[in-house]
């Protein structure tokens, strides 16, 4: 008779973050909110972007590709709801932009000032270069960002791409980063 028992050693439990447990909320469709006329949360703004993306008839005929300059078109401007100040400050106003990207085009490194945003790739593939490195975004992919988030978006492929950008509140500035300061020449007499 063998009195030895099987090994019962267990590995230590790893602490998991909410993201590790639940996954990326943007990839769990049943957790996402449907679009409202005046979204108030990040999830609702992401839902708004998805609903516009799904309605190709609203935007597809507007897309233009221009190799000489960046092409963009403002789809919507929605002011802050008039009753929102009395109802606790939400929902905020927002803007929706449609952008095209020819191969090799990029945004330059920038942030969006005081605006938060949702970037949704509608067609093609884009690469976002952010604080955590490069991230490839295919059609349907979404990224959300807070005010002051610095990134660069580039079309690194050989095909055109189209993206949708929702900014809340509406975009008032887009400071560029990583550009050298203008060099002033001084003339000597």
């Amino acid at each position: 008779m063998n009195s030895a028992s099987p090994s019962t050693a267990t590995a230590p439990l790893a602490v998991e973050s909410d993201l590790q447990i639940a996954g990326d909320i943007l990839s769990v469709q049943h957790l996402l909110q449907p679009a409202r006329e005046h979204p108030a949360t990040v999830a609702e703004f992401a839902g708004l972007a998805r609903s516009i993306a799904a309605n190709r008839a609203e935007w597809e005929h507007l897309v233009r590709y221009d190799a000489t300059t960046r092409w963009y078109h403002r789809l919507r401007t929605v002011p802050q709801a008039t009753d929102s100040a009395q109802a606790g400050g939400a929902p905020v106003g927002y803007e929706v932009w449609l952008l095209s990207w020819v191969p090799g085009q990029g945004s330059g490194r920038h942030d969006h000032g005081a605006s938060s945003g949702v970037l949704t790739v509608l067609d093609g593939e884009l690469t976002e270069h952010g604080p955590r490195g490069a991230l490839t975004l295919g059609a349907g992919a979404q990224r959300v960002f807070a005010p002051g988030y610095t990134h660069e978006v580039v079309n690194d492929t050989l095909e055109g791409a189209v993206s949708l950008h929702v900014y809340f509140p509406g975009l008032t500035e887009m400071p560029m980063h990583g550009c050298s300061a203008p060099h002033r020449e001084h003339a000597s007499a």
Side-chain angles (χ1 to χ4, degrees), residues 120-147:
T120 305
V121 179
L122 302 177
D123 281 326
E125 186 176 283
L126 295 171
T127 303
E128 180 192 37
H129 299 275
R132 295 183 181 168
L135 179 64
T136 300
L137 306 168
Q142 287 188 299
R143 296 283 293 147
V144 296
F145 49 87

Side-chain angles (χ1 to χ4, degrees), residues 151-176:
H151 69 159
E152 178 177 18
V153 179
V154 180
N155 180 355
D156 287 329
T157 72
L158 298 176
E159 302 292 328
V162 180
S163 59
L164 183 79
H165 303 249
V166 179
Y167 299 111
F168 48 100
L171 195 61
T172 59
E173 62 178 327
M174 195 173 102
M176 301 303 288

Side-chain angles (χ1 to χ4, degrees), residues 80 83-91:
Q80 182 173 356
D83 62 345
S84 64
Q86 297 142 0

Side-chain angles (χ1 to χ4, degrees), residues 52-73:
I52 295 169
N55 185 5
R56 293 183 76 89
E58 180 180 356
W59 56 266
E60 190 170 38
H61 66 283
L62 299 169
V63 175
R64 304 289 180 266
Y65 293 95
D66 189 335
T68 61
T69 186
R70 295 291 318 285
W71 179 89
Y72 51 90
H73 176 79

